[in-house]
Amino acid sequence: MADQSPPDLHTAAGKRRGKTSGKVADFRYKRPSRPDRKARDSSGLLHASAGHVRHEASPRRQAYAALDLGTNNCRLLIARPSGENFTVIDAFSRVVRLGEGLAASGKLSDAAMERTLGALHVCAEKLRRRNVHLARSVATEACRRASNGEAFIERVREETGIALDIISAQEEARLAVLGCHILLEDGVGPAVIFDIGGGSTELVLIEPGGPVPRILDWLSVPWGVVSLTDSVQPPDGTRHGRALRYAEMRRLVSESFTPFAERIADTARDSATIRLLGTSGTVTTLASIHLELPQYDRRAVDGLIVPSRSMRDISLRLSTMSEADRRTLPCIGDDRANLVVAGCAILESILDIWPAKELAVADRGIREGILRSLMAADEVAERSRETRLRMREQDL
C-alpha cells in the first residue's frame, strides 16, 4: 500500500466522552473545531478511476456521491462541498447480506443478489435525482471472493447503470483510513485504525502528522461479521455452548492476526501512547450500548472515546446471551443480533495485539474517504483549468 493517502481537508479534533446528545442525525462531516488549529491544504491526490459517473458542472456547487457495497451492507452518501468540509444531502443504507452463504458455497446466492439489486436500484434513482457531478461506486470482500463476483458486477451495470469497481483489500484499508483518521486522539507515535466489515477486517498501523497519516504497515484478513459467523458452528443453545463458540471465533481471528501482531509488537511496547480508532457497525453498536442509548444517535457516537475495558465487558456479555435476548437490546435489533458476536470476537482480538486503554469510535469510513478523494481531486482539476484559462487570456 502506498505510504501517502489523498489529502484530508478536515482539522484535527478533541475527545468526546459525554452521554447522549439528542436524536437528530448530524449530516455535517466535520470534527469538533479547536481554536488553536487551522485546516491545512496539501497535494498528493487520488484521481478518479473505474466506477465513476461525471456531469459537466462547477465542482464546488454540485453533488458528489460514494457508494460502498460490502458483504453485509449497501451504503450511499451524496454530499456537496461546504468550505473545508462537506454536507450530506442524501444517504441510503440497507442490510443486504450479499455474502450470506459465501463461506460455504464460494459464490453469491441468487437471493442475496436479488436483495442487493433491489438496494442498488434505490441508489441509482437517488444518483439520478440528485444530478451527481462525480461518483465512485466500490464493492469489497464478497465480490472479491465470489466465483460469480465479476458476473454480478456486470449484471448490476446492465440493470442499474451503476459501474461498481471491485477494489483490493489495500484500497479498502486506505479509503477507510482516509475517511476516519481525523477522529484519532492527539498523541505522539504510531496508532492503529481498523475496519471490521462483513467479509474482512483491515488493520492499519499509521504515523499521524500532516494532513494525512503515513501508512507504516497493514493487514487484511478474511474474517468479518458475516464470514466469521458463517464459518463457526452455531451454539447448542446453552450458555456454555455460546461461550465455547465465542472462544473458537477468538482463536480463528487471533491466529490470522499473528503476522501483523508480531510485526507491530515492538511498536506497541515502545509507544508512549497507544491510540486506537475503529470504524464499523460493531464499534458503533457497542458504543451505543456503552452510552445506554434508547436508539442509535450518530452525533453521540461518532468521535466518542470509550474505555477499552467497557468494550470488552460488553463483548463478553453479548457473547453468552441468546440471540433472542440480543434482539431486545436497543441499537442491536434483528439486523445485528446474529452478527454482533463475531464483531465482538474480532474487536477483542484487536485489543489483544494493540492494548489501548481507550478506543475512539468512528461512524464514517470508506464512503467518506471516497468523497474526500473525489472533491480534492476535482478541486485540483478546477484550479488547473482556471490556470490554463488565465494563461490563454494572457497570450491573447
Side-chain angles (χ1 to χ4, degrees):
M1 184 186 302
D3 283 345
Q4 295 298 328
S5 299
D8 184 337
L9 302 180
H10 292 39
T11 57
K15 299 180 181 180
R16 201 154 44 76
R17 307 172 188 269
K19 296 293 183 182
T20 63
S21 60
K23 299 179 180 179
V24 180
D26 178 8
F27 284 116
R28 181 171 294 275
Y29 277 72
K30 178 181 179 182
R31 188 84 190 265
S33 59
R34 283 186 168 186
D36 60 336
R37 295 287 186 93
K38 295 181 179 179
R40 292 164 288 194
D41 295 323
S42 71
S43 58
L45 297 164
L46 170 69
H47 292 282
S49 59
H52 290 73
V53 179
R54 190 180 188 111
H55 303 285
E56 289 302 321
S58 172
R60 301 309 295 174
R61 294 194 299 270
Q62 296 301 312
Y64 296 75
L67 191 156
D68 172 21
L69 177 60
T71 302
N72 197 47
N73 292 279
C74 175
R75 299 186 179 98
L76 171 72
L77 278 185
I78 303 176
R80 287 196 180 100
S82 179
E84 297 166 352
N85 309 291
F86 61 81
T87 300
V88 173
I89 60 174
D90 208 343
F92 174 79
S93 179
R94 180 180 293 177
V95 175
V96 295
R97 305 192 307 280
L98 179 59
E100 186 177 56
L102 176 62
S105 69
K107 65 179 183 178
L108 306 176
S109 71
D110 291 340
M113 289 189 287
E114 289 299 327
R115 286 193 300 265
T116 303
L117 279 165
L120 290 171
H121 277 294
V122 176
C123 294
E125 178 58 30
K126 287 180 176 290
L127 291 168
R128 285 189 288 268
R129 190 168 64 245
R130 292 294 183 177
N131 190 31
V132 169
H133 167 61
L134 187 62
R136 187 181 187 194
S137 303
V138 303
T140 55
E141 183 69 9
C143 290
R144 284 197 297 263
R145 293 181 61 189
S147 60
N148 58 345
E150 292 282 359
F152 177 64
I153 294 300
E154 180 58 24
R155 182 182 171 191
V156 169
R157 187 192 63 78
E158 292 176 353
E159 296 189 20
T160 71
I162 295 174
L164 284 163
D165 177 15
I166 303 179
I167 59 174
S168 66
Q170 296 96 318
E171 176 70 353
E172 185 176 356
R174 192 192 67 80
L175 286 171
V177 169
L178 176 61
C180 70
H181 75 87
I182 58 168
L183 296 180
L184 193 66
E185 292 184 82
D186 288 336
V188 177
V192 167
I193 295 178
F194 66 89
D195 181 5
I196 302 172
S200 66
T201 293
E202 284 71 44
L203 301 94
V204 188
L205 180 68
I206 64 167
E207 182 67 61
V212 291
R214 186 168 68 94
I215 293 172
L216 303 176
D217 200 349
W218 73 281
L219 174 74
S220 178
V221 299
W223 297 123
V225 295
V226 175
S227 57
L228 186 58
T229 299
D230 288 349
S231 297
V232 180
Q233 279 290 112
D236 60 11
T238 67
R239 183 182 179 89
H240 179 65
R242 291 190 287 269
L244 289 177
R245 182 176 189 243
Y246 188 67
E248 175 63 8
M249 287 181 170
R250 293 270 278 117
R251 184 190 68 79
L252 289 172
V253 176
S254 296
E255 285 183 359
S256 69
F257 284 172
T258 298
F260 186 73
E262 291 174 349
R263 295 198 302 268
I264 68 171
D266 290 343
T267 302
R269 183 176 57 252
D270 298 339
S271 295
T273 56
I274 302 292
R275 291 172 292 161
L276 184 64
L277 169 62
T279 170
S280 71
T282 296
V283 293
T284 57
T285 297
L286 268 58
S288 299
I289 295 172
H290 168 77
L291 292 176
E292 299 180 351
L293 298 181
Q295 61 187 33
Y296 187 72
D297 179 358
R298 180 183 183 275
R299 290 193 302 179
V301 171
D302 188 49
L304 185 74
I305 308 297
V306 183
S308 296
R309 184 69 261 168
S310 176
M311 298 296 258
R312 282 190 183 271
D313 290 344
I314 294 169
S315 294
L316 288 172
R317 177 159 58 95
L318 292 176
S319 71
T320 55
M321 291 175 66
S322 70
E323 183 176 333
D325 287 341
R326 289 194 298 271
R327 290 178 188 275
T328 66
L329 296 178
C331 304
I332 292 185
D334 292 342
D335 286 344
R336 296 192 181 279
N338 183 45
L339 302 177
V340 69
V341 171
C344 291
I346 297 169
L347 174 59
E348 281 215 85
S349 297
I350 293 170
L351 289 170
D352 287 345
I353 66 174
W354 193 255
K357 293 182 179 179
E358 296 175 320
L359 169 65
V361 177
D363 183 354
R364 57 181 82 188
I366 291 174
R367 293 172 303 164
E368 290 77 9
I370 291 171
L371 286 174
R372 290 174 187 163
S373 297
L374 295 179
M375 292 178 184
D378 221 20
E379 181 70 13
V380 166
E382 179 71 8
R383 288 199 298 266
S384 177
R385 286 192 292 269
E386 292 172 355
T387 299
R388 288 198 302 270
L389 283 174
R390 286 196 300 270
M391 293 176 64
R392 195 172 299 145
E393 289 170 356
Q394 292 171 0
D395 291 340
L396 294 177

